[in-house]
Amino acid sequence: MARAATTADVFNAVAEPRRREILDLLMQGERPVNEIVAQLELGQPQVSKHLKVLREVGLVDARDLGRMRVYRVNGRGLKPIHDWVSNYERTWSERFDALDVVLEELKEKEARDDES
Amino acid sequence: MLTTPSDTEIVMMREFDAPPELVWKAWTTPELVSRWWPGKRGTMRTCEIDLRVGGRWRYVMEAGEGGYEVAFHGEYREIVEAEKLVNTEVFEGAPPEAGAALNTNTFEALEGGRTRLTMVTAVDSIQVRDMIIGTGMETGAQEGLDIIDEIVAELTADGRASAAR
């Protein structure tokens, strides 16, 4: 199944630890660039570069607050990651259920072996 | 039960009504793994397990009827029988730069002959991305990460609130 390139880009975007730090910080509330710089102890150019990537993939958006530009997380952009994790969980739940069946048989076999 | 302590770690926990020795056996014996690993999603075509430190494993599943093949392989890093198994995991549809996930499985004996399995997968987001593209996994799952659902709900509420201001 082909998927939109932007979806892949979301994973690329969060693959960078610094960008995850920025996302974590913005999860707590919207912030202007200088506050992100101060809190993460990163250089302004770096932060701006990371914000640009995050905005391009739709994980972060910006709005004007008075004379300030503030950045915030766009939760909908996280959906592909959420979907993948959900799918992963379902896959393993199915495996574990099948493993339960295998284990029941192993236990029965052991019980029989003990009797003989 | 699934939790995500960080963006690159996924933790699954599950209790089984069997002692660790049996869970270990079911986890490391090819003919047994072949019966549970595909879940409901297909049939095992290859199940190779060389259970030694530095030994390799390879699982190949055919998804659906006459569907595509999904293959994983890796190497065992740490083996403590019926207690702990650490191995790498590579999805064969991904480009080499995607790297490997590292799985740490612990088998903990509980009272009443039960076992708690804890499975920690440290996975690179890039690899996750490639798994999605490579395996054609369907999206739109209903259950799962409630926490992100909550965040999404909060953010959209915040968005509406700030738009209203």
Side-chain angles (χ1 to χ4, degrees):
Chain A
M1 191 184 80
R3 294 182 55 116
T6 50
T7 302
D9 290 347
V10 170
F11 288 89
N12 269 337
V14 299
E16 215 288 330
R18 289 301 197 180
R19 288 200 282 269
R20 289 202 297 275
E21 283 180 28
I22 292 172
L23 278 176
D24 285 342
L25 183 62
L26 293 179
M27 288 277 190
Q28 297 160 32
E30 50 188 20
R31 303 254 189 300
V33 171
N34 59 358
E35 260 186 61
I36 302 171
V37 168
Q39 294 208 0
L40 297 187
E41 297 174 343
L42 280 173
Q44 169 111 20
Q46 262 189 300
V47 170
S48 297
K49 196 179 69 189
H50 288 318
L51 280 171
K52 184 167 177 280
V53 173
L54 291 167
R55 288 181 66 187
E56 280 170 357
V57 301
L59 283 171
V60 163
D61 56 22
R63 69 183 186 107
D64 291 325
L65 184 67
R67 286 181 310 151
M68 232 175 13
R69 194 153 183 71
V70 291
Y71 294 86
R72 59 188 177 181
V73 172
N74 172 14
R76 277 179 296 264
L78 289 166
K79 192 171 183 310
I81 296 169
H82 168 246
D83 287 346
W84 180 81
V85 173
S86 303
N87 187 63
Y88 179 92
E89 182 176 28
R90 218 176 37 230
T91 301
W92 274 101
S93 296
E94 287 171 11
R95 284 177 184 165
F96 289 153
D97 291 346
L99 183 50
D100 279 333
V101 176
V102 171
L103 288 168
E104 280 308 309
E105 286 177 28
L106 284 180
K107 280 199 299 188
E108 282 169 26
K109 186 175 174 299
E110 274 213 336
R112 278 201 308 272
D113 291 349
D114 287 349
E115 281 167 22
S116 56
Chain B
M1 191 184 76
L2 179 144
T3 53
T4 48
S6 76
D7 283 338
T8 54
E9 264 193 356
I10 297 172
V11 181
M12 296 273 306
M13 280 173 98
R14 178 67 138 73
E15 285 185 19
F16 295 99
D17 189 17
E21 294 71 26
L22 282 192
V23 180
W24 178 267
K25 189 176 176 181
W27 198 266
T28 56
T29 309
E31 53 270 26
L32 296 175
V33 172
S34 297
R35 291 182 47 197
W36 62 262
W37 195 81
K40 298 175 188 167
R41 295 170 184 230
T43 325
M44 206 70 143
R45 287 281 166 251
T46 304
C47 187
E48 293 161 0
I49 295 176
D50 180 11
L51 197 61
R52 296 175 299 159
V53 172
R56 294 171 63 79
W57 62 277
R58 185 166 186 259
Y59 299 170
V60 182
M61 181 184 87
E62 188 181 301
E65 285 300 310
Y68 51 91
E69 284 198 342
V70 182
F72 293 86
H73 69 259
E75 193 177 281
Y76 297 108
R77 292 285 171 84
E78 192 183 339
I79 300 168
V80 185
E81 189 165 340
E83 280 182 34
K84 189 178 183 187
L85 184 67
V86 182
N87 61 271
T88 60
E89 178 178 304
V90 175
F91 170 60
E92 293 184 7
E97 62 270 19
L102 186 71
N103 299 331
T104 303
N105 307 294
T106 48
F107 303 79
E108 183 189 348
L110 303 174
E111 284 185 12
R114 294 169 63 83
T115 301
R116 179 183 296 128
L117 169 74
T118 307
M119 199 171 73
V120 181
T121 302
V123 67
D124 191 304
S125 304
I126 293 174
Q127 193 195 28
V128 172
R129 176 205 65 184
D130 290 325
M131 283 173 73
I132 291 180
I133 295 165
T135 58
M137 285 176 171
E138 77 286 4
T139 57
Q142 301 309 306
E143 73 281 336
L145 270 186
D146 295 341
I147 189 154
I148 289 190
D149 284 338
E150 280 167 32
I151 292 166
V152 172
E154 272 173 36
L155 288 165
T156 42
D158 287 352
R160 277 198 301 273
S162 53
R165 273 200 297 272

